Amino acid sequence: MAAKIKKKGIYCIEGLWDHVNIQDETTVLPILDLLEKKNYCDHIYHDCATKSELEYFLEKWKKKTVNEKYPILYLAFHGDPGYIFLTHEDKYSLTQLAEFLGDKATGKIIYFGSCSTLNIDKRKINSFLETTGAIAAIGYKRDIDWIQSTACDLFVFEALQSDSLDTKGQTKLF
């Protein structure tokens, strides 16, 4: 009998999808709710629009009591190569993120639910992983339709639940 794999919670920080229309209700929250209702994993969800909000919620995730239970950090934002967008004018770079997280992501997964963020040189991704200690940085290398990316995110999160949270376990998935 195979050993039971422990649930890997998802800690989601989501940016604004429409920076002009403040009534826009677009969100990735329904996929997180679906995963939780189907008993795949638990989640914590926060929305943010500023650097200080982002760093506030990242600071909460960095605490061992939180990131041990929620080892998948899901950053759902608009993006550009090497960046996530906080607003249409304000970007937060992978370098800034790595410096802010330090080694608090050791053994964790950082999932970029943002267009083109990982369309950068592999050496920069490896540097990000070295600085943070994360075992994987997963995300998009190109622009992708919102519905398609959300569906893909759901499938990836489901797949991440099926194996151990280490480089050997994650290599089997991808």
Side-chain angles (χ1 to χ4, degrees), residues 67-122:
N67 73 21
E68 286 297 317
K69 187 173 179 187
Y70 300 91
I72 301 168
L73 176 60
Y74 178 27
L75 300 171
F77 291 84
H78 284 295
D80 251 354
Y83 293 89
I84 57 174
F85 282 104
L86 297 169
T87 67
H88 63 284
E89 298 169 349
D90 195 14
K91 296 179 182 181
Y92 200 84
S93 73
L94 263 63
T95 302
Q96 287 173 285
L97 181 61
E99 289 171 1
F100 187 82
L101 291 175
D103 66 353
K104 300 300 183 191
T106 299
K108 311 299 183 251
I109 292 176
I110 314 290
Y111 188 92
F112 295 95
S114 51
C115 291
S116 302
T117 297
L118 294 183
N119 188 15
I120 56 176
D121 189 282
K122 286 183 181 182

Side-chain angles (χ1 to χ4, degrees), residues 131-149:
T131 301
T132 62
I135 60 170
I138 303 170
Y140 299 98
K141 292 180 78 171
R142 63 177 181 85
D143 289 352
I144 185 168
D145 175 76
W146 195 88
I147 294 292
Q148 292 173 346
S149 69

Side-chain angles (χ1 to χ4, degrees), residues 6 9 11 44 59-71 104 108:
K6 180 177 137 186
Y11 188 94
I44 292 175
E59 195 66 49
K60 298 291 185 191
W61 180 76
K62 285 171 30 174
K63 294 180 180 172
K64 191 171 181 138
T65 56
V66 176
N67 73 21
E68 286 297 317
K69 187 173 179 187
Y70 300 91
K104 300 300 183 191
K108 311 299 183 251

